[in-house]
Amino acid sequence: MRIIGWICWRWKMGIIWKFFFCCCFIVVTLSIYGDCLSLEDCILKSYFSKNEVLTDSSFQDLLQDELSKFSCKLLPGDPNPQLTLSGLERRLIGEGSHRHLSSTIQLQVPPQSFPLQSCKLVMIERLPSGVFADPFELDHLFHHGAYAGIGVFGDTNLELPSVSSNRSAVEIHMNFEHSISSGAMSELGIRIDLPLHARYAPLHESGYSEVAFGTPDLLVSCSMEGSSGMRSCLIVPSHDSNRLRTDVVWKIPCGIMSHTNVVSVVTFATAFVSTLVIVFASVLYPKPR
Amino acid sequence: MTARAMMNLRSILIGSAVFRLVLILYGEWQDAHMEVRYTDVDYLVFSDAASLMASGSSPYKRTTYRYSPLLAFLLIPNSFLHRAWGKFIFSASDLLVGYFIYKILKQRKVAEDLCLYSVMVWLLNPFTFTIGTRGNCQIIQAAVWYGLVVHFRIYPIIYALPIIVVLDPRYVQLGKKPLLVNWKSNTQKPSSQSSEEASTRYNLWTAAKSMFSKERILFGLVSGGTFFLCTGLFFHLYKWEFLHEALLYHLTRADPRHNFSIYFYHIYLQYGHQLSLVEKLISFLPQSIVQLVLVSSFAQDLPFCFFLQTVAFVAFNKVITAQYFVWFFCLLPLILPWSDMKLRWEGLSCVGLWMGAQLHWLLWGYLLEFRGQNVFLQLWMASLVFLLANAAVMAVFIRRQRCSPIFLQMKVTDAKGGVKSE
């Protein structure tokens, strides 16, 4: 500190630098970063602990395993608690490379009562190749209360074009507003907005690349009283496919292969011309004596 | 420094500080209430990296953090004081640079009003105050600072060659303070100083012949030693992740995403294909030729050489973002007192040409990124126009500059104790 103080005094910046360094010696342990924020059980975390790359078939297999492992039946012969997905509407909001995928979900909860508590909706969005979710942006939204929990998995590199990147997936948990064990039929509407960004798409002569979104995986996660205490369980709501409007296509502008030769030649020619301008100016005009 | 001068400089600094404070407060409001954030995404990267460092983790766990750990260290208070701490640091640095500009120009006896105008060119430059408030840092001392600066931001390595050229023993000697050439206006008669200014032309051949002077060797060893010490220390703490993200990434960076560089579309179209040796050479040559010619022609006038080299380095780089402009804006006030360029209309034309080319690019960039229109070709052509505008502005600066060597030739004592000039 004495040597730093001497140097600072000599350069007449002692006060400023000492202030900076004193502040910087205070270290506080703070943890705000997580990949599965406040989710006790994250299905995608289980998937990516066993798989490096997201594929639909292997994900479906894991999901079936999770559903049978964490069934909400009290006894093996009991029927599954009935929940119905009465409506799913999906829209892509915005223009350009940064948009929101909006999902409006309608759930019908039956009037029978069963020992399920603290239920929440789990939506797993398996993103197509060509778009990605920014984990830091979602972290910011999570801390502003937009979600009960959120996690991004897979290839979360923010910079690579889609030819050099793998798919990613987002798991979102949203709390219900009504208790599922109330005595009356409930119609629940939940809207989830997911900000997404486009990667640079592969080249195509049309100038646009189309990225199609599939149907998200929708589950309900609840806590139930089991033989050995409270445990989590999963329900897949039944649904009528005709009532689900899920076609969403994102047209992303992309480079055109036929431009390649012209672009290369003209780029280097312009660099050459600019070099000549600077070289001639340096040679022709007066130099330091 | 006279009381009147202090009052004027003080009022400029205070006014600039207040303005920056207002912008920081406005930025916080815009971030909270509008869809488009005022704060630059890089600031969020620095803040996240600082939070990781505060919790004992590596700052390189934050994707796209590609800077020295020193930067994250400086921003640790973002986590426990206020998230805008870093913006205050950067804005304070702006004011410090303004102060340095004033001191440097006063050392060279530049007239008071010109000094203040030059300071204002930096402090009231829209790029300076928006980039700072959006969140977008005797030979041994000089060598230590130079080594540290190169560690912090790699681009100052381009100044190594002109510095070595200027460290000629006739002008810079160990243990002696170099004699600065004073400023003189274009209306003044040549002063008695002029007869002692460099009588031989500086060029690379002269430098090559006396390359291994003790001043040059010492500067190289100390600055290189400082750089490698910093690199070694942080490599020990953060291993290969630090080396790759903070150093190697910048040496090989070729971003296919749109930016001001003329090469972005070429890189996108060729992405995934191995470039031939000829293609790599062709993209490397313009930058190298321009740097060598500028150093060869202007090394003697060190601030002017630095300025031209930086403009050229940014303009010919494979990636250009708006933050890079600050690299030469801070040098512009140091060369303006020696320029014969009048604001009306040559100066305004240069400003108009450069800003116009940039705005033109931004228009096409907006249509691509925020409207989703395929305007890649138009955007690429706008980047060509921007490079040509940079070259034209550089040519005008060169034409109008009263190039002046920075150092006077030193008197050398002979064996009998008499003084002689070499």
Side-chain angles (χ1 to χ4, degrees):
Chain A
M1 277 301 288
R2 239 188 263 167
I3 296 170
I4 294 169
W6 176 78
I7 293 171
C8 294
W9 173 82
R10 190 180 172 89
W11 286 97
K12 296 175 185 168
M13 289 192 287
I15 294 171
I16 297 169
W17 283 107
K18 278 176 186 171
F19 173 73
F20 285 168
F21 278 99
C22 285
C23 282
C24 292
F25 277 111
I26 302 167
V27 176
V28 173
T29 301
L30 200 67
S31 177
I32 62 165
Y33 183 79
D35 58 351
C36 208
L37 299 164
S38 91
L39 298 176
E40 289 173 8
D41 296 291
C42 201
I43 297 170
L44 283 174
K45 198 172 185 179
S46 316
Y47 176 83
F48 281 98
S49 65
K50 297 169 194 152
N51 301 275
E52 274 191 29
V53 176
L54 175 65
T55 58
D56 291 337
S57 54
S58 47
F59 178 77
Q60 291 294 351
D61 292 340
L62 179 126
L63 191 59
Q64 292 306 316
D65 286 342
E66 295 284 301
L67 287 169
S68 44
K69 224 189 303 182
F70 298 104
S71 166
C72 290
K73 297 177 192 177
L74 279 173
L75 296 167
D78 286 351
N80 263 324
Q82 287 296 310
L83 281 173
T84 308
L85 181 66
S86 55
L88 172 64
E89 195 173 317
R90 308 251 282 167
R91 285 185 306 141
L92 204 55
I93 300 170
E95 293 180 287
S97 303
H98 315 286
R99 305 193 190 187
H100 287 246
L101 180 61
S102 172
S103 306
T104 305
I105 300 137
Q106 303 288 337
L107 272 180
Q108 272 184 353
V109 178
Q112 74 259 29
S113 60
F114 47 82
L116 294 181
Q117 303 169 33
S118 305
C119 291
K120 46 189 166 190
L121 179 74
V122 175
M123 184 171 92
I124 296 174
E125 190 73 57
R126 283 172 278 147
L127 297 175
S129 175
V131 299
F132 66 95
D134 182 346
F136 304 100
E137 182 181 22
L138 297 181
D139 175 60
H140 175 76
L141 291 172
F142 165 73
H143 282 100
H144 280 74
Y147 317 104
I150 191 159
V152 188
F153 300 87
D155 192 340
T156 55
N157 188 301
L158 308 178
E159 296 175 316
L160 290 176
S162 57
V163 293
S164 303
S165 50
N166 294 310
R167 292 174 65 189
S168 57
V170 183
E171 181 167 333
I172 304 169
H173 289 202
M174 297 288 279
N175 290 324
F176 283 174
E177 287 184 5
H178 300 277
S179 166
I180 205 162
S181 59
S182 64
M185 166 78 84
S186 295
E187 181 85 26
L188 303 175
I190 303 166
R191 179 173 160 169
I192 300 177
D193 273 333
L194 181 61
L196 296 172
H197 309 276
R199 294 190 185 281
Y200 259 45
L203 307 180
H204 197 277
E205 279 312 302
S206 67
Y208 289 91
S209 172
E210 288 193 352
V211 171
F213 289 82
T215 308
D217 298 290
L218 290 166
L219 310 157
V220 174
S221 168
C222 301
S223 299
M224 67 179 290
E225 188 74 48
S227 53
S228 48
M230 295 298 289
R231 66 176 181 90
S232 299
C233 68
L234 292 169
I235 314 166
V236 179
S238 57
H239 62 269
D240 177 1
S241 304
N242 295 328
R243 300 188 69 177
L244 306 184
R245 276 175 283 174
T246 63
D247 296 330
V248 176
V249 174
W250 188 343
K251 275 181 73 172
I252 301 170
C254 62
I256 299 173
M257 180 75 82
S258 54
H259 290 168
T260 306
N261 291 336
V262 169
V263 167
S264 298
V265 168
V266 175
T267 297
F268 292 125
T270 309
F272 180 67
V273 166
S274 304
T275 304
L276 282 180
V277 166
I278 296 167
V279 167
F280 279 135
S282 302
V283 166
L284 285 175
Y285 292 113
K287 308 290 185 309
R289 288 182 295 111
Chain B
M1 209 184 289
T2 64
R4 184 164 172 269
M6 277 297 298
M7 193 175 67
N8 279 335
L9 176 67
R10 187 184 298 142
S11 50
I12 291 171
L13 289 175
I14 290 172
S16 302
V18 168
F19 184 52
R20 279 159 171 77
L21 176 63
V22 167
L23 279 179
I24 290 172
L25 295 173
Y26 168 73
E28 294 294 302
W29 178 87
Q30 181 170 328
D31 287 354
H33 294 90
M34 293 173 71
E35 191 179 339
V36 177
R37 299 172 78 122
Y38 181 85
T39 301
D40 193 80
V41 68
D42 276 345
Y43 185 76
L44 304 176
V45 173
F46 307 152
S47 294
D48 292 342
S51 298
L52 287 166
M53 195 183 240
S55 61
S57 299
S58 164
Y60 299 101
K61 282 202 173 124
R62 198 336 177 158
T63 321
T64 72
Y65 182 75
R66 299 200 170 98
Y67 310 95
S68 168
L70 289 174
L71 178 60
F73 186 61
L74 279 175
L75 263 62
I76 284 175
N78 274 23
S79 306
F80 59 85
L81 276 181
H82 192 276
R83 61 174 175 265
W85 160 264
K87 294 182 184 180
F88 285 105
I89 295 271
F90 299 150
S91 298
S93 304
D94 282 353
L95 302 176
L96 205 58
V97 168
Y99 180 72
F100 278 147
I101 289 168
Y102 182 85
K103 293 297 283 180
I104 290 169
L105 292 177
K106 288 309 281 184
Q107 287 231 326
R108 297 190 71 184
K109 310 283 188 278
V110 175
E112 180 63 24
D113 54 347
L114 264 183
C115 285
L116 295 176
Y117 290 141
S118 298
V119 169
M120 285 194 281
V121 163
W122 168 250
L123 289 176
L124 303 183
N125 185 328
F127 282 94
T128 310
F129 58 69
T130 49
I131 285 171
T133 56
R134 287 184 71 217
N136 325 133
C137 55
Q138 295 219 2
I139 292 178
I140 293 176
Q141 290 171 349
V144 168
W145 283 114
Y146 182 66
L148 196 60
V149 154
V150 173
H151 161 78
F152 206 77
R153 294 310 297 259
I154 302 171
Y155 82 88
I157 195 68
I158 63 174
Y159 305 144
L161 194 52
I163 290 174
I164 292 294
V165 168
V166 149
L167 286 178
D168 189 300
R170 291 171 295 174
Y171 307 99
V172 179
Q173 291 170 11
L174 272 178
K176 292 182 185 174
K177 192 174 174 181
L179 302 171
L180 289 172
V181 172
N182 292 339
W183 173 83
K184 43 186 180 287
S185 75
N186 54 359
T187 56
Q188 274 179 282
K189 288 183 188 164
S191 68
S192 59
Q193 257 198 335
S194 62
S195 61
E196 295 164 17
E197 288 170 10
S199 55
T200 54
R201 284 174 61 84
Y202 263 162
N203 55 40
L204 287 176
W205 174 241
T206 310
K209 280 194 298 186
S210 55
M211 180 60 71
F212 298 105
S213 67
K214 54 182 184 296
E215 290 81 8
R216 289 183 171 126
I217 291 172
L218 186 64
F219 186 91
L221 285 175
V222 173
S223 57
T226 308
F227 173 79
F228 284 111
L229 184 69
C230 293
T231 305
L233 169 66
F234 291 119
F235 180 74
H236 173 71
L237 291 173
Y238 302 114
K239 310 289 185 256
W240 284 104
E241 213 175 8
F242 153 72
L243 206 62
H244 179 260
E245 298 290 346
L247 286 179
L248 300 176
Y249 169 80
H250 297 287
L251 298 177
T252 56
R253 183 179 184 183
D255 201 336
R257 293 172 300 166
H258 56 282
N259 61 88
F260 290 109
S261 172
I262 59 170
Y263 296 107
F264 90 86
Y265 197 23
H266 166 75
I267 292 169
Y268 177 26
L269 293 171
Q270 301 277 5
Y271 198 83
H273 299 114
Q274 188 67 19
L275 294 177
S276 69
L277 188 63
V278 173
E279 280 172 321
K280 286 181 188 171
L281 204 62
I282 291 176
S283 56
F284 180 67
L285 271 178
Q287 178 77 274
S288 310
I289 290 171
V290 166
Q291 291 294 321
L292 283 173
V293 167
L294 290 174
V295 170
S296 174
S297 303
F298 302 107
Q300 206 174 347
D301 187 346
L302 206 57
F304 188 55
C305 186
F306 282 1
F307 173 75
L308 290 176
Q309 278 188 275
T310 314
V311 175
F313 182 76
V314 171
F316 284 92
N317 206 26
K318 291 219 173 73
V319 177
I320 307 172
T321 64
Q323 292 90 323
Y324 295 2
F325 301 151
V326 178
W327 298 355
F328 52 77
F329 278 135
C330 62
L331 298 171
L332 180 62
L334 296 177
I335 65 157
L336 283 179
W338 283 264
S339 179
D340 287 335
M341 197 190 312
K342 300 279 178 257
L343 189 62
R344 277 196 272 175
W345 293 101
E346 207 167 23
L348 284 175
S349 300
C350 285
V351 171
L353 177 64
W354 193 80
M355 292 291 306
Q358 207 179 118
L359 287 169
H360 174 236
W361 187 97
L362 286 170
L363 168 68
W364 293 112
Y366 172 77
L367 290 176
L368 173 67
E369 186 165 344
F370 295 100
R371 287 286 176 256
Q373 296 180 26
N374 188 323
V375 292
F376 276 106
L377 212 56
Q378 295 91 322
L379 187 60
W380 162 71
M381 287 194 278
S383 65
L384 301 179
V385 169
F386 186 60
L387 174 64
L388 290 168
N390 274 276
V393 168
M394 281 181 71
V396 173
F397 265 98
I398 290 169
R399 185 165 171 244
R400 291 296 183 214
Q401 191 74 1
R402 280 177 285 122
C403 290
S404 166
I406 189 167
F407 295 129
L408 277 175
Q409 192 168 312
M410 282 196 166
K411 290 182 173 24
V412 177
T413 310
D414 64 17
K416 294 179 185 174
V419 172
K420 63 172 185 179
S421 296
E422 286 191 359

